């Protein structure tokens, strides 16, 4: 799969997730809903990094 297809799929699913999440939590403040969604995304991102075995390469990331 090319990176362009992956980028479009990511944008599409992010939009759908946002819409469905807002429909499901109508009485919740949008800032709180965004924070909850962000936490869920972080958990899944770390899980995928662990499953793929690339979590050990975090030390090679250059921040500066």
């Amino acid at each position: 799969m090319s990176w362009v297809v992956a980028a479009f799929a990511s944008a599409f699913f992010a939009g759908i997730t946002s819409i469905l999440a807002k429909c499901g939590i109508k009485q919740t403040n949008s800032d709180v809903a965004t924070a909850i969604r962000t936490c869920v995304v972080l958990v899944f991102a770390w899980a995928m990094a662990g499953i793929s075995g690339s979590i050990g390469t975090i030390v090679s990331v250059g921040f500066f």
Side-chain angles (χ1 to χ4, degrees):
M1 176 182 338
S2 74
W3 68 270
V4 175
V5 173
F8 278 112
S10 177
F12 173 76
F13 287 116
I16 293 297
T17 301
S18 178
I19 291 168
L20 292 176
K22 191 59 184 169
C23 290
I25 48 178
K26 290 181 181 176
Q27 287 80 21
T28 304
N29 183 343
S30 63
D31 292 334
V32 173
T34 300
I36 292 169
R37 279 195 311 270
T38 301
C39 291
V40 171
V41 169
L42 281 171
V43 167
F44 278 100
W46 279 105
M48 288 307 298
I51 290 168
S52 70
S54 61
I55 209 163
T57 61
I58 192 87
V59 296
S60 65
V61 174
F63 291 105
F64 301 103

